[in-house]
């Protein structure tokens, strides 16, 4: 049987049976790039129009794995089986078969090789937005900032402003730049990305990261606005509102932070790991600020209880543990920590072993903090500090562990070390950070030593909050 030649919106040939499938696939690509809540709907329409579209089955499997949920591994394997069956029904492009291979690699506990296979597609098809976006997501989950940026550095210039997805690709580029510390360029690229593609929630999020890391709080609040620009987004919108809550917390507006938590960030009490991470890390920050968060930990812990044995992403595991500790359920957190030790020793995935080694240190550090053993918490969190990029997530998200480390040092009486860490934090944020400034001021009042005094004296505007 012969098939007509169809091309997606970027001009890449796709092996679909009809134009309805092509149009639905184009909608899927745009929705994926926009982090739109409607992405699964568009993908479903694609497969209804052409049940033997191998590329769509493979993409669905990769999307399922990106959710880092144990129960979605079997459906992802089913996607792989359907993709391979579809390949037997009709010949497909080599580019498409490489996406199927990437799915098989990730299912085989080789996520880095999966990302590499996707990126290899770009050598011959530099405008393959599916391969680019999926590899970007995997690199992010691996904490592989260097390769995330290298890929976008090669690919983004090829998307001229007339390309319909230029804004979205530049949004990815902006985030990769930010995570590597190229803040000025990241902000410029990110703002331009949103201008080109107003639905680019990821690009908007990238600029928010820049403003967070540079201590530009008022600008951050203005940039995120009232949330209307991200109304189309999936649960990324909760994370962007988490960024807004961080800006509000930086201004000491704790009542508004709690309102955002209740009415926006946890308005939908899902057990998606990203949503749990938003909630747990925000409540922990509020705890460190001395704010009574009431019974809010209980809801998160109830969700985390069902995820103790997931073992799909160390970043997620640590936030499940944090949620359980917040509700006083130390046994569940210890079960996660011990699983991380087991995985560090024997998991078939090298990426999981590396992440688990650092994650185990952080998990036991959080447990020690919860138990009031601050010397041990400081020792463990300090040991984890340099390797935590391996757990995935962003600098802003992993900053929670930096705050926990600083709190541990202070409570353990290691004031000079704490002052050094806090002074570095102020310097990175342009001398304006409420968390660091308040604690440095506290250390100075306690007579913590010459280092604390020097740290404060070098940033006189920092304690103006």
């Amino acid at each position: 049987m012969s098939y007509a030649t169809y091309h997606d919106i970027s001009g890449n040939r796709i092996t679909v049976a009809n134009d309805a499938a092509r149009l639905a696939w184009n909608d899927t690509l745009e929705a994926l790039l926009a982090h739109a809540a409607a992405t699964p709907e568009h993908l479903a329409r694609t497969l209804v129009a052409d049940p033997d579209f191998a590329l769509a089955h493979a993409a669905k499997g990769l999307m399922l794995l990106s959710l880092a949920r144990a129960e979605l591994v079997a459906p992802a394997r089913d996607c792989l089986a359907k993709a391979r069956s579809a390949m037997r029904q009709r010949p497909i492009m080599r580019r498409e078969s490489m996406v199927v291979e990437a799915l098989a690699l990730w299912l085989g506990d080789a996520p880095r090789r999966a990302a590499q296979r996707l990126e290899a597609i770009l050598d011959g098809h530099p405008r393959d937005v599916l391969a680019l976006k999926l590899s970007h997501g995997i690199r992010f989950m691996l904490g592989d900032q260097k390769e995330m940026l290298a890929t976008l550095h090669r690919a983004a210039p090829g998307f001229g402003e007339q390309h319909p997805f230029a804004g979205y690709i530049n949004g990815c580029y902006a985030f990769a730049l930010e995570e590597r510390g190229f803040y000025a360029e990241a902000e410029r690229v990110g703002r331009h990305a949103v201008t080109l593609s107003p639905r680019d929630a990821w690009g908007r999020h990238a600029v928010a990261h820049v403003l967070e890391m540079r201590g530009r709080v008022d600008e951050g609040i203005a940039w995120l606005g009232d949330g209307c620009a991200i109304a189309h987004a999936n649960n990324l919108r909760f994370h962007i509102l988490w960024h807004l809550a961080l800006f509000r917390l930086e201004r000491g507006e704790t009542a508004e932070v709690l309102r955002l938590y209740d009415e926006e960030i946890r308005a939908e009490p899902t057990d998606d790991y990203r949503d749990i991470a938003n909630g747990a890390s925000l409540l922990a920050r509020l705890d460190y600020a001395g704010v009574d968060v009431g019974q809010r930990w209980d809801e998160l812990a109830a969700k985390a209880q069902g995820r103790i044995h997931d073992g799909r992403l160390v970043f997620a595991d640590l936030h499940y543990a944090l949620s359980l500790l917040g509700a006083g359920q130390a046994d569940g957190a210890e079960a996660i920590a011990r699983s991380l030790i087991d995985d560090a020793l024997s998991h078939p995935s090298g990426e999981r072993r590396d992440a688990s080694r650092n994650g185990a240190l952080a998990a036991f550090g959080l447990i020690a903090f919860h138990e009031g053993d601050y010397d041990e918490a400081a020792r463990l969190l300090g040991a984890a500090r340099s390797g935590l990029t391996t757990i995935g997530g962003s600098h802003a998200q992993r900053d929670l562990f930096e705050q926990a480390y600083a709190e541990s040092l202070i409570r353990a009486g290691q004031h000079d070390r704490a002052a050094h860490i806090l002074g570095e934090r102020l310097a990175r944020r342009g001398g304006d950070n409420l968390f660091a400034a308040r604690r440095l001021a506290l250390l100075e009042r306690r007579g913590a030593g010459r280092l604390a005094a020097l740290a404060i004296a070098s940033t006189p505007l920092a304690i103006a909050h």
Side-chain angles (χ1 to χ4, degrees):
M1 182 180 295
S2 62
Y3 292 91
T5 298
Y6 293 97
H7 295 83
D8 67 20
I9 196 169
S10 283
N12 296 303
R13 184 175 173 182
I14 49 175
T15 312
V16 291
N18 52 64
D19 202 48
R22 179 187 68 85
L23 292 172
W25 180 244
N26 284 340
D27 289 342
T28 301
L29 292 176
E30 192 279 337
L32 174 66
L33 292 167
H35 288 258
T39 306
E41 174 190 335
H42 294 308
L43 183 55
R45 284 197 300 112
T46 303
L47 288 169
V48 167
D50 183 3
D52 291 324
F53 185 18
L55 180 60
H57 286 296
K60 181 178 178 180
L62 288 163
M63 292 180 204
L64 289 173
L65 291 181
S66 74
L67 297 175
R69 298 168 71 92
E71 74 273 19
L72 295 182
V73 175
R77 290 193 185 283
D78 184 56
C79 289
L80 178 60
K82 288 179 178 177
R84 286 173 168 169
S85 175
M87 291 169 66
R88 291 191 290 271
Q89 300 300 314
R90 62 178 184 249
I92 68 172
M93 303 297 296
R94 174 59 183 150
R95 177 182 64 85
E96 296 172 297
S97 67
M98 290 172 74
V99 179
V100 179
E101 292 165 8
L103 173 58
L105 286 166
W106 200 353
L107 283 167
D109 290 321
R112 196 178 310 278
R113 289 182 62 201
Q116 290 167 346
R117 189 61 51 89
L118 291 166
E119 289 153 8
I121 294 171
L122 300 172
D123 293 338
H125 304 275
R127 292 187 177 183
D128 189 321
V129 295
L130 177 71
L132 190 55
K133 184 65 173 178
L134 291 176
S135 76
H136 183 66
I138 296 173
R139 294 292 186 186
F140 176 55
M141 294 176 74
L142 294 173
D144 195 347
Q145 302 157 349
K146 181 179 178 181
E147 286 303 317
M148 184 167 64
L149 177 57
T151 298
L152 268 303
H153 186 71
R154 290 191 300 269
F159 288 82
E161 292 195 2
Q162 300 309 310
H163 191 283
F165 296 152
Y168 296 123
I169 300 306
N170 277 284
C172 293
Y173 190 26
F175 182 75
L177 286 164
E178 181 277 328
E179 287 297 287
R180 291 290 283 174
F182 298 104
Y183 296 124
E185 188 176 1
E187 181 177 358
R188 178 184 61 77
V189 173
R191 288 182 182 275
H192 187 55
V194 173
T195 298
L196 291 174
S197 299
R199 278 165 49 91
D200 183 18
W202 193 247
R204 189 172 298 276
H205 157 257
V207 175
H209 269 263
V210 172
L211 300 175
E212 152 72 13
M213 298 306 291
R214 304 308 290 162
R216 293 159 58 188
V217 174
D218 293 343
E219 291 176 76
I221 291 171
W223 171 249
L224 295 181
D226 59 7
C228 289
I230 55 171
H232 68 282
N234 56 20
N235 63 336
L236 178 62
R237 71 185 188 277
F238 302 137
H239 179 66
I240 292 175
L241 290 165
W242 173 83
H243 277 281
L244 178 59
L246 292 190
F247 289 129
R248 294 291 186 183
L249 183 58
E250 181 64 18
R251 291 211 309 203
E253 299 170 359
T254 55
E256 175 62 8
V257 173
L258 289 171
R259 187 197 69 78
L260 283 168
Y261 183 96
D262 294 335
E263 297 180 14
E264 304 285 357
I265 296 165
R266 290 300 289 167
E268 297 179 22
T270 77
D271 68 344
D272 186 294
Y273 83 86
R274 296 161 295 188
D275 301 337
I276 296 289
N278 293 334
S281 64
L282 187 54
L283 292 186
R285 285 169 165 86
L286 288 164
D287 276 347
Y288 299 157
V291 177
D292 182 0
V293 300
Q295 303 301 307
R296 291 176 176 85
W297 281 114
D298 294 341
E299 180 265 325
L300 291 179
K303 302 294 189 302
Q305 274 287 347
R307 297 285 158 197
I308 289 174
H309 302 293
D310 256 28
R312 295 296 303 169
L313 184 67
V314 174
F315 176 86
D317 297 333
L318 289 176
H319 286 87
Y320 298 147
L322 183 65
S323 300
L324 293 162
L325 290 170
Q329 299 177 27
D331 288 349
E334 289 179 11
I336 291 173
R338 295 191 185 283
S339 292
L340 290 172
I341 289 180
D342 292 341
D343 286 350
L345 295 172
S346 60
H347 198 278
S349 168
E351 294 90 338
R352 176 78 186 182
R353 291 196 300 274
D354 290 342
S356 294
R357 279 192 286 272
N358 296 293
L361 290 168
F364 280 109
L366 293 173
I367 292 167
F369 187 96
H370 174 74
E371 294 175 346
D373 188 348
Y374 300 118
D375 280 306
E376 181 67 355
R379 185 184 72 81
L380 291 167
L381 289 167
R385 190 173 179 231
S386 64
L388 276 181
T389 54
T390 60
I391 72 170
S394 66
H395 290 304
Q397 290 173 310
R398 290 188 302 272
D399 186 54
L400 169 72
F401 304 103
E402 185 79 353
Q403 292 191 25
Y405 178 47
E407 281 289 307
S408 300
L409 290 168
I410 293 169
R411 298 185 191 193
Q414 299 180 44
H415 292 165
D416 280 354
R417 176 62 177 160
H420 179 75
I421 296 297
L422 294 166
E424 287 182 335
R425 181 184 184 85
L426 272 179
R428 287 195 303 270
R429 286 167 168 78
D432 197 3
N433 180 250
L434 184 61
F435 176 89
R438 282 182 168 173
R439 283 153 182 80
L440 282 169
L442 174 66
L443 292 177
E444 176 63 8
R445 287 197 298 272
R446 291 178 178 176
R450 187 175 65 87
L451 186 57
L454 287 173
I456 296 173
S458 67
T459 52
L461 297 179
I463 58 175
H465 292 273

